[in-house]
């Protein structure tokens, strides 16, 4: 059976080049990068090289602004808890949005239990953060604004430059969770007025369990892990050398291919959407029509529930998801769609197609071929579809 | 989580039995709402010996909701009303080889839909009672 993987916002298939680059560091080059002998020095050189590549991808000329972590979740935790704890004497207020990934939302919830105050700024129906509300939320006690660069469920791209300006004017630190934006959108951290930016390896065709946090020089931050002097004293723990090397390789290639790759993905994605609209009635596009990640398509199929669609597509070899991977399987509708004001009945039937570099036009045709009959069959089974069979 | 469905659940999900409506149903049960993610509508046809001769359903919901709807219609066909009243949510789940914990509420919905259909049948019968005697 044909396999079509359209869940690249959940994770990507690691590219061969990254794996090839990593293998020696699981075999002959096994030194601890902190050791002075040659075994250690070789590992150190590899880490330094990877740090440069990640710095280039993120758009900073300073390698001292890139800190490796175990992934996007740790980078988010590090940024938010780190700033909150470092600036405790200055203030206790954090501003975020209602549509953040749980790595940010639950970190904020945790800080609320510690006594911090958090404002969850609303979003519009296209998932764009309400900038007026954001401005109004800032108080003298505000120490951090954390707003995602692009949303993982619907793909909407937030006005990061504008938020950066607002934050800078008010002298408030700005963190952005750029896990979904890195390698999909061209940006330079140095031009954004961001102080902290999170990224993850497995979303950019690199390995799982590795990521990075960009920390602008001079930013006050308390470390999450205490121990040795790794990562310039900010993140203790023997480095995951192979993971870092794989991340470096993925970053290097992503930077090279970004423009071309995104043109291709956007074209395929729009082809898929046009096909869906022409074959299936009563569908809606979730997310901003233009300001959206080039690979992401979130479609609501009216009268249906998402899991039944996901399972049916799975039986045809097609991998998609409802909302984010960690919330599907829970009984709550997507917090992102709910925040966007999507009718509760319609949040249930929303499916995310997230394309990746392996996808082809044939894949889209295959999906379009099986999707119509699945939706038709499920709708015929749906009591909500009653009386709407005219067409 | 997803992917923990038994083979039997998947089999009923792929090939649900008794999908549809019964236009002249003896009773109809409606449960659930779209906010919580599941809606079931269960139709039964009952003969004058109180035997359920046919059952059909329409369901908006996840894999488990569809499978439990399918199973409950299978379990009650040929049973009398009295026997059908004894079909519990556990019996439905068991017949499906079990359900993931977070999906057990689907079997509860199936039981409620069945009760609803039977109540509806009883109410209609009561309303018609004098006519049929007279
Ligand atoms: C927007 C966003 N932030 C954070 C994460 C977490 O990253 P990781 O899986 O590397 O911990 C993800 C991925 O699930 C994401 O999409």
């Amino acid at each position: 059976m044909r396999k079509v993987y359209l869940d690249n916002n959940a994770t990507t298939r690691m590219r061969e080049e990254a794996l090839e680059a990593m293998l020696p560091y699981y075999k002959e080059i096994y030194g601890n990068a902190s050791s002075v002998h040659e075994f250690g020095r070789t590992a150190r050189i590899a880490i330094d090289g990877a740090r440069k590549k990640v710095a280039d991808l993120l758009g900073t000329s300073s390698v001292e602004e890139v800190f490796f972590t175990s992934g996007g979740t740790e980078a988010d935790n590090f940024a938010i808890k780190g700033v909150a704890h470092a600036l405790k004497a200055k203030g206790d207020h954090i501003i975020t949005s209602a549509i953040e990934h749980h790595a940010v939302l639950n970190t904020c919830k945790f800080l609320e239990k510690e006594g911090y105050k958090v404002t969850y700024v609303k979003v519009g129906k296209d998932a764009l953060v309400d900038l007026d509300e954001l401005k109004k939320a800032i108080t003298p006690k505000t120490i951090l604004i954390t707003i995602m660069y692009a949303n993982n469920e619907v793909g909407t791209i937030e006005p990061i430059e504008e938020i950066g300006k607002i934050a800078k004017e008010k002298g408030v630190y700005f963190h952005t969770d750029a896990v979904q934006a890195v390698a999909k959108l061209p940006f330079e951290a140095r031009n954004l007025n961001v102080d902290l930016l999170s990224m993850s390896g497995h979303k950019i065709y690199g390995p799982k369990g590795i990521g990075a946090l960009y920390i602008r020089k001079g930013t006050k931050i308390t470390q999450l892990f205490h121990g040795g002097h790794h990562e310039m004293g900010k993140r203790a723990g023997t480095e995951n050398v192979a993971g870092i090397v794989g991340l470096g390789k993925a970053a290097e290639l992503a930077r090279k291919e970004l423009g071309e790759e995104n043109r291709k993905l956007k074209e395929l994605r729009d082809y898929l959407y046009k096909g869906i609209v022409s074959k299936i009635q009563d569908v809606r596009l979730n997310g901003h029509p233009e300001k959206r990640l080039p690979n992401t398509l979130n479609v609501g199929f009216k009268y249906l529930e998402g899991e039944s669609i996901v399972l049916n597509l799975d039986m045809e070899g097609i991998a998609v998801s409802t909302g984010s991977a960690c919330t599907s399987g829970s009984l709550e509708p997507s917090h992102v769609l709910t925040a966007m004001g999507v009718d509760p009945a319609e949040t249930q039937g929303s499916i995310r197609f997230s394309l990746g570099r392996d996808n082809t036009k044939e894949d889209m045709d295959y999906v379009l071929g099986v999707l119509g009959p699945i939706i038709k069959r499920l709708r015929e089974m749906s009591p909500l579809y009653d009386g709407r069979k005219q067409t | 989580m997803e992917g923990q469905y038994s083979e039997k659940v998947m089999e009923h999900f792929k090939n649900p039995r008794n999908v549809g409506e019964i236009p002249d149903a003896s009773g109809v049960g409606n449960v659930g709402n779209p906010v919580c993610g599941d809606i079931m509508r269960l139709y039964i046809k009952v003969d004058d010996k109180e035997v359920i001769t046919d059952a059909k359903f329409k369901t908006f919901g996840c894999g488990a909701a569809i499978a439990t709807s399918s199973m409950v219609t299978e379990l009650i066909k040929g049973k009398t009303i009295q026997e059908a009243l004894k079909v519990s949510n556990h019996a439905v789940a068991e017949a499906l080889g079990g359900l993931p914990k977070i999906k057990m509420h689907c079997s509860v919905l199936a039981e409620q839909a069945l009760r609803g259909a039977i109540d509806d049948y009883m109410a209609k019968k009561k309303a018609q009672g004098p006519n049929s005697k007279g």
Side-chain angles (χ1 to χ4, degrees):
Chain A
M1 185 172 50
R2 193 177 184 109
K3 296 258 183 221
V4 179
Y5 185 77
L6 295 176
D7 205 9
N8 288 276
N9 285 9
T11 197
T12 59
R13 183 173 74 83
M14 184 159 64
R15 53 194 307 162
E16 287 293 323
E17 302 96 317
L19 178 63
E20 286 303 319
M22 290 168 76
L23 286 175
Y25 296 89
Y26 281 127
K27 294 181 186 169
E28 55 270 21
I29 314 174
Y30 53 82
N32 184 320
S34 301
S35 306
V36 291
H37 46 62
E38 199 197 324
F39 291 83
R41 288 198 309 273
T42 317
R44 170 60 53 204
I45 289 167
I47 291 175
D48 289 346
R51 202 185 305 277
K52 175 79 176 76
K53 289 168 182 165
V54 173
D56 284 345
L57 179 65
L58 298 182
T60 166
S61 42
S62 174
V63 288
E64 281 112 63
E65 294 184 324
V66 175
F67 296 82
F68 291 117
T69 66
S70 63
T73 300
E74 188 193 323
D76 287 341
N77 272 264
F78 185 13
I80 298 168
K81 289 179 196 163
V83 166
H85 290 152
L87 299 189
K88 206 167 187 164
K90 184 171 179 266
D92 61 357
H93 180 231
I94 296 167
I95 300 174
T96 187
S97 82
I99 60 162
E100 299 295 312
H101 189 271
H102 284 106
V104 168
L105 282 182
N106 287 341
T107 301
C108 288
K109 297 243 166 73
F110 170 78
L111 286 173
E112 279 182 296
K113 282 198 202 122
E114 283 195 350
Y116 290 86
K117 300 183 176 63
V118 180
T119 302
Y120 300 87
V121 174
K122 285 204 223 44
V123 298
K125 59 181 191 309
D126 44 16
L128 283 175
V129 167
D130 184 332
L131 289 183
D132 283 333
E133 203 191 316
L134 180 117
K135 272 186 223 159
K136 280 187 206 134
I138 300 173
T139 75
K141 290 274 188 198
T142 307
I143 48 176
L144 178 70
I145 297 173
T146 171
I147 303 280
M148 68 200 322
Y149 202 130
N151 181 267
N152 46 302
E153 284 187 38
V154 297
T156 295
I157 301 165
E158 300 299 339
I160 292 306
E161 275 176 63
E162 277 146 282
I163 298 170
K165 260 185 228 144
I166 296 169
K168 195 175 182 187
E169 262 167 39
K170 300 275 181 181
V172 176
Y173 280 160
F174 176 34
H175 164 249
T176 186
D177 174 344
V179 167
Q180 293 294 343
V182 170
K184 295 192 192 112
L185 301 173
F187 68 81
E188 309 251 292
R190 67 184 134 226
N191 299 332
L192 284 179
N193 288 320
V194 301
D195 301 291
L196 307 115
L197 181 148
S198 305
M199 72 163 295
S200 173
H202 70 101
K203 310 280 187 180
I204 66 164
Y205 311 101
K208 294 173 175 61
I210 192 76
L213 179 65
Y214 160 87
I215 308 177
R216 184 185 293 279
K217 228 175 257 156
T219 304
K220 293 195 184 70
I221 187 160
T222 301
Q223 69 204 80
L224 213 52
F225 295 176
H226 299 84
H229 291 288
H230 313 87
E231 295 297 295
M232 299 160 266
K234 283 203 167 62
R235 200 269 188 184
T238 297
E239 297 87 344
N240 170 3
V241 183
I244 290 171
V245 167
L247 174 64
K249 193 71 195 176
E252 177 193 348
L253 296 169
R255 183 159 174 259
K256 234 186 258 167
E257 299 166 4
L258 190 138
E260 184 52 38
E261 195 60 45
N262 287 332
R263 226 179 341 271
K264 183 195 115 179
L265 287 178
K266 188 169 182 298
E267 203 176 293
L268 284 181
R269 179 200 68 183
D270 293 342
Y271 176 76
L272 177 62
Y273 184 57
K274 276 196 197 107
I276 291 174
V277 172
S278 74
K279 282 176 199 289
I280 302 170
Q281 296 202 326
D282 292 330
V283 298
R284 56 172 285 152
L285 177 72
N286 294 314
H288 197 284
E290 286 102 39
K291 291 175 192 161
R292 190 152 47 98
L293 291 173
N295 77 318
T296 306
L297 176 63
N298 189 309
V299 179
F301 295 93
K302 229 174 155 182
Y303 317 116
L304 295 182
E305 187 275 348
E307 192 204 73
S308 60
I309 306 172
V310 171
L311 289 174
N312 269 287
L313 287 170
D314 183 44
M315 288 188 261
E316 304 290 344
I318 300 165
V320 298
S321 75
T322 59
S324 63
C326 22
T327 41
S328 50
S330 83
L331 299 171
E332 279 130 50
S334 145
H335 71 284
V336 176
L337 297 174
T338 304
M340 289 161 62
V342 177
D343 178 340
E346 287 188 41
T347 59
Q348 301 285 355
S350 291
I351 297 294
R352 178 184 73 188
F353 303 86
S354 52
L355 283 61
R357 58 193 291 269
D358 292 333
N359 293 133
T360 60
K361 186 157 173 290
E362 287 71 43
D363 288 343
M364 301 305 116
D365 286 328
Y366 177 68
V367 173
L368 289 169
V370 300
L371 189 60
I374 287 173
I375 299 296
K376 183 164 180 282
R377 192 175 77 91
L378 288 173
R379 279 186 176 161
E380 274 163 10
M381 218 186 282
S382 169
L384 298 179
Y385 195 54
D386 278 3
R388 297 206 86 273
K389 282 196 212 140
Q390 315 91 306
T391 38
Chain B
M1 296 298 281
E2 289 171 20
Q4 291 185 344
Y5 287 143
S6 69
E7 259 174 54
K8 195 95 193 192
V9 172
M10 283 310 290
E11 205 267 312
H12 272 261
F13 172 66
K14 278 184 215 173
N15 305 299
R17 329 291 200 260
N18 312 311
V19 176
E21 300 168 24
I22 301 177
D24 58 340
S26 320
V28 184
N30 267 306
V31 287
N33 67 69
V35 180
C36 70
D38 301 287
I39 299 176
M40 285 183 197
R41 186 176 300 159
L42 188 76
Y43 302 82
I44 52 173
K45 183 86 191 152
V46 183
D47 70 9
D48 49 15
K49 295 197 190 69
E50 298 244 299
V51 172
I52 299 173
T53 55
D54 198 8
K56 288 205 186 300
F57 77 91
K58 283 213 160 182
T59 289
F60 163 93
C62 62
I66 290 170
T68 51
S69 311
S70 167
M71 182 51 88
V72 78
T73 55
E74 282 289 275
L75 288 178
I76 60 172
K77 273 210 268 183
K79 283 201 165 69
T80 63
I81 289 291
Q82 284 315 311
E83 288 165 341
L85 276 169
K86 289 190 197 115
V87 173
S88 68
N89 76 304
H90 289 289
V92 175
E94 218 163 89
L96 284 168
L99 282 173
K101 223 183 187 144
I102 65 157
K103 298 291 187 183
M104 274 308 281
H105 74 284
C106 293
S107 64
V108 175
L109 274 181
E111 182 189 309
Q112 288 171 349
L114 171 61
R115 293 285 141 85
I118 293 175
D119 285 351
D120 185 43
Y121 159 73
M122 304 270 219
K124 276 185 188 148
K125 202 175 84 169
K126 215 169 165 188
Q128 284 171 356
N131 289 350
S132 47
K133 262 183 217 156

